[in-house]
Amino acid sequence: MTPICSHDIDCICIRGARTHNLRAIDVDLPLEQLTVITGVSGSGKSSLAWDTIFAAGRHRYLSTISPKTREFLRSIERPLVDSIDGLPPTFGIGQRQNGPRRRSTLATIVEVYDLLRVLYARVGQLHCPRCEKPVSSQSRDTIVNQVLRLEDRQKVLILSPIVRGQKGSHADVFSRIVRDGFVRARVDGVVVEAAAPPGMDANQFHDIDVVVDRLIIKDGIRSRLEESLDLAMEIAQGQCIVSHESAGQWSDRLYSSRLACAECGSSFASLEPINFSFNSPSGACSECHGLGMISATLTGVETPQRVRAQSAFHLCPVCTGGRLSPLFQSVLIAGDSISGVVRLKADAALQRVHQWSHTLASESQDVSAESKGQDSTAARQIAARHILPEIVARLQLMRDLGLDYLTLDRAGESLSTGEFQRARLAASLGNSLTATCYIVDEPTTGLHPRDTDRLLSTLFRLRDQGNTVIVVEHDLDIVRQADYVVEIGPGAGTEGGQLLSSGPPQAILRDPTSLSGQEFLRREQGLKNSATSFQAKEWITLAGATVHNLRDVTLRFPLRGVVCISGVSGSGKTSLVMRTLVPALRNCLEGTNVTCGPFRALHGMDHLSRVSRIDQSPLGRSSRSTPASYSGLWDEIRRVFAKTKEARLRGFTARRFSTQSPDGRCFRCAGRGTLASHKKNVLELAIRCPECNGKRFNRLTLGIQYRGLCVADVFDLSFDAAAVFFANIPRLAHVLSLFRDLGLGYLKLGQPSTTLSGGEAQRVKIATQLVTSQETPSTLFVLDEPTSGLHARDVMQLLTVFRRLVHEGHSVLVVEHNLDVIAAADWLVDMGPEAGEAGGRIVVEGAPCAVSQCPDSHTGRALRNSFATSP
């Protein structure tokens, strides 16, 4: 195919891309345009976008850092491509598979909380927690007078705090102390010789103080005390510690030339951004350690198991859920604490920030350049002028991406897939870069068709700022409105990797040889509902769900069919299904103690024997985890190798052929095949292990072969190739066929699970569950966005698997936005009608044809416009 770009058109010119399954692709991508790379799952889209384009940009960036880094880069494999010309700096927005951390919140994910921390440290007014009065600075004479009030002959240490709650061995700190002429220091409360400091654990938090002077309170000491205090505060930028001995115990009191309460005399350290971090001991509440919640078991009240499952945690009584120490929650801007601000929704927080701008602007209209270094009002003005616009930009992005219904302190773990993806997108777009190549992976994940236009507006705005936007996407609405489309295929794995077509979307979608074009034509012909003959006999009922925005919701759905829960992003689907229904079912069936949302009653459990939740969480957090190991397939393969003649002669058992076995795996990489980079200020990279060359096992283990292949060779087989290789072993052949039925034949058995897309991970889980479903009848399979990462052609294959499960007597419950899945369901429950407080209820339920007639349902409207004929 002839590239569209000529020498007078700016473009990224890629020649001979051969990464993974790519077949020497030549393609030109226009600069400052929105380009969509599409194709069936496994066709090579990510190989082109991420492993070629992004990897090339990353390599170019790293090679400019330093000569030492360039030496390190020799171990990093470059993308297999002949040349890439015209590539701007790259910025990737991928689908992080390990999800949000336990401590993360919406504000931290979007990175607006980091800006708020800096703002409160520089602009906030500290109030005394005891007196609730504004705290002002202390003069040197005030500090001296308070010290001289100590009892006569008391021993006193004048200390200068220079390190507070920081990890590290701090060898450079002690060198500086000695170089400045000081003899002693205090490390974590113990006075030591500065020239011979103790060994310090670099992974622990430490406090270090310089011992400026040692005094005894007596007459005539005032001048020496004044000099020592001046020196201590000069070193620590306005702070000092006076430690005095009483009854054999040393007591510290912090003094500051900046902050002190006029009412009670309490002194406080200068505010720093770390004081507002609930992930640091410097700011976190000491009771809940920055979690905002404490375990219900700490209350000492015994409650029944079901009640404990629903309320396993309570608000921390000290910080009342604010996560920060009460001291730092008493820092206010225009009467607002940082904890109070993050309890607001994005829209309300945006209004509050605008109010701050007016309040701070009224404090001082003009500040001369000479006063900037001394005047506190001027310093506040400077900080506010630089930080407030950044906060406004982040909050506006949240609103533009449809996250305005969420509070900023919403726990990251409670976000739906779509909410989490858009929050990360807001964080990345908030950097306001220009002349950059953005590579975005599946941005429509978790989005209802109604919300797609909002996303497109954001991507177009990014493009219009002078950036090149490359999106890996299957959504036909995104494909249709792109500036340029590249389709990779035709199949997956070895059957893909070819450039099928490239050009404007109108040409691609009308091309009869294009798979995306064929699916677009099918969609134009209209969706068809196949659930007209479905007759429900058994039902599950969950009554009175009220977690998050759910409004006393009662969910009722049939078994032995395909049930779909739909609704706009944020309408309450995840809260209802994943946070309430699934854990409640598991508690009843398995007797577990899983935390779930509150509800009144659960009925219909007699018809179920097991619940299988299949979400988009990673298969394994270790790079040793693979599809073969997760599914149990590798256990069977290990037994095959253990039965070979050579293995039996050497006494090798099946355990020998596991990457978890120290005896069988490579000692250098511990069975991972790669080594992680430990270079500071370098992107996290994996380097092929030089000892085993990425084969994961040691030489003795690799010496055992079955039909000419060692275990590393088998790891390198695709599921398609493995099905042929193990065709004579029924147990293996059966499992491998299930993976092929789900369109995963292109995956390699030993591909690290951490590299799988969300859709691939879900299908691996489905295949694994299919293996065990024959042993456990009446299973309810609950899937969260299973079409993530799937082309429309792959979705049809997934629906065939759902019907297979139903035919075998199981039930399928799907949380989904994909119209193909919604239209094919036997029963549809639509939530909404909007997100947040405007949602949280069931708008309509029934057969998809019936739902399509509901005027209040966004899903119904989308179905009505997409069905082939009116019902």
Side-chain angles (χ1 to χ4, degrees), residues 471-609:
V471 179
V472 178
E473 187 56 80
H474 302 102
D475 187 280
L476 293 179
D477 289 330
I478 301 291
V479 175
R480 182 172 48 199
Q481 298 189 56
D483 298 313
Y484 195 72
V485 177
V486 173
E487 184 172 20
I488 308 295
T494 57
E495 297 180 0
Q498 302 178 47
L499 178 62
L500 296 183
S501 56
S502 62
Q506 295 79 12
I508 302 297
L509 296 177
R510 298 299 177 184
D511 184 355
T513 64
S514 166
L515 293 180
S516 297
Q518 293 173 20
E519 292 302 323
F520 179 72
L521 291 175
R522 180 182 64 82
R523 181 65 65 83
E524 280 193 331
Q525 294 169 2
L527 300 175
K528 297 180 181 180
N529 178 242
S530 58
T532 54
S533 61
F534 177 71
Q535 297 294 326
K537 296 181 180 179
E538 301 164 348
W539 297 76
I540 293 289
T541 302
L542 175 78
T546 57
V547 69
H548 295 145
N549 69 330
L550 298 181
R551 301 184 177 186
D552 195 26
V553 170
T554 295
L555 172 66
R556 182 174 179 265
F557 63 93
L559 298 177
R560 309 293 190 270
V562 177
V563 177
C564 185
I565 310 294
S566 64
V568 298
S569 184
S571 58
K573 303 181 301 297
T574 299
S575 297
L576 178 60
V577 177
M578 298 301 178
R579 305 293 177 190
T580 307
L581 175 66
V582 172
L585 290 173
R586 285 183 169 176
N587 286 336
C588 291
L589 288 174
E590 305 168 10
T592 57
N593 190 18
V594 182
T595 303
C596 65
F599 62 94
R600 283 198 309 273
L602 181 63
H603 303 292
M605 297 300 300
D606 296 340
H607 306 303
L608 283 180
S609 59

Side-chain angles (χ1 to χ4, degrees), residues 5 125 154 163 177 207 412 546 683 744:
C5 291
Q125 171 66 61
Q154 274 195 326
V163 173
I177 292 174
D207 295 338
T546 57
L683 295 177
L744 295 172

